[in-house]
Amino acid sequence: IVTADTVKAVEKLQYNYKLQKKEDVNVALLKDKKLNEVQILLQKTTIQRQYAMGCLIGVALLSAVILMVFYYRNLQIKKKDNELLIASRQEILQQNLEITEQHEEIISQNEQLEQINATKDKLFSIISHDLRSPVLTLQDTLTLFNSELLTREEITSISAELLANVTGTSALLDNVLYWAKSQMEGISRNKQAF
């Protein structure tokens, strides 16, 4: 009986030992499982952090690239604007130079016109003075004729002198008309055999 009780006690002890051993293995496995879960969770968290960091770095790089593209385009636009501005300035300077040259030419032409007008006025003054004397002489003579104060011999002598004055005045008028025509139309030659 003692042996049977002892065998039972030993079996019970062995069972308890095996059970305890299994429980220890289970506890160890649970610890390993929890440790593995914690490690997996840490790995997931690390991977998520790395993914998030990678995404953040990707977004930052993409933003930097986009900003660089916009900056480059802005520089290109400014460069084109500067080139257009320089071209505009050169064109304006060229136009200013042309305007200055035209202004100087206009001033020169104005001075020439003033000289020509002064010459014309002087010429008209001389011509009108030269025409006035013979016309006044003719007028005075005709007044004397009408008043019948002159004798026949005086009329003959005065008429010869009057004819010379009128002929000279007529030649002067012809010359003035020819000069005026040449000024308006220019002088042209009309060659003819004679």
Side-chain angles (χ1 to χ4, degrees):
I1 295 179
V2 173
T3 311
D5 284 338
T6 308
V7 171
K8 273 188 183 182
V10 168
E11 282 180 4
K12 192 175 181 181
L13 281 174
Q14 282 180 345
Y15 177 76
N16 283 340
Y17 174 74
K18 284 182 184 178
L19 187 62
Q20 185 65 35
K21 200 174 181 184
K22 282 185 181 180
E23 282 184 20
D24 287 342
V25 169
N26 280 340
V27 168
L29 286 174
L30 280 174
K31 282 183 182 178
D32 284 343
K33 184 180 175 185
K34 285 187 179 185
L35 185 62
N36 284 340
E37 286 177 358
V38 167
Q39 285 177 347
I40 290 172
L41 185 63
L42 283 174
Q43 286 176 351
K44 281 183 181 179
T45 306
T46 304
I47 290 172
Q48 287 176 348
R49 284 183 186 164
Q50 289 175 350
Y51 179 74
M53 188 62 89
C55 287
L56 186 63
I57 289 172
V59 168
L61 286 174
L62 184 63
S63 298
V65 168
I66 290 172
L67 286 175
M68 289 177 69
V69 166
F70 280 124
Y71 182 72
Y72 179 74
R73 288 189 75 210
N74 191 20
L75 284 177
Q76 291 297 324
I77 290 170
K78 283 184 180 180
K79 184 178 177 182
K80 286 181 183 177
D81 288 346
N82 284 339
E83 289 172 357
L84 288 174
L85 184 63
I86 289 170
S88 299
R89 284 183 182 167
Q90 289 175 347
E91 187 176 328
I92 289 171
L93 288 175
Q94 182 66 30
Q95 288 175 352
N96 284 344
L97 182 63
E98 290 174 2
I99 289 171
T100 303
E101 290 173 357
Q102 289 174 353
H103 180 69
E104 290 173 358
E105 185 178 338
I106 288 171
I107 289 174
S108 172
Q109 290 175 351
N110 191 22
E111 289 173 357
Q112 288 176 351
L113 284 175
E114 286 178 0
Q115 289 175 353
I116 290 171
N117 278 338
T119 304
K120 175 191 62 114
D121 291 343
K122 196 179 215 179
L123 185 63
F124 279 135
S125 172
I126 291 169
I127 290 172
S128 57
H129 184 269
D130 287 349
L131 289 176
R132 187 170 186 231
S133 292
V135 170
L136 285 177
T137 303
L138 181 61
Q139 181 184 6
D140 290 343
T141 305
L142 288 174
T143 304
L144 288 175
F145 282 151
N146 286 338
S147 62
E148 297 179 5
L149 297 175
L150 297 174
T151 63
R152 190 89 169 136
E153 292 126 12
E154 289 175 332
I155 290 175
T156 306
S157 94
I158 289 176
S159 68
E161 190 178 324
L162 194 59
L163 181 62
N165 279 342
V166 168
T167 304
T169 304
S170 177
L172 178 63
L173 282 174
D174 286 341
N175 286 337
V176 169
L177 288 173
Y178 179 73
W179 175 80
K181 183 178 180 184
S182 70
Q183 290 297 312
M184 289 189 288
E185 297 175 3
I187 298 174
S188 63
R189 288 183 271 175
N190 187 8
K191 295 182 180 182
Q192 293 180 352
F194 65 96

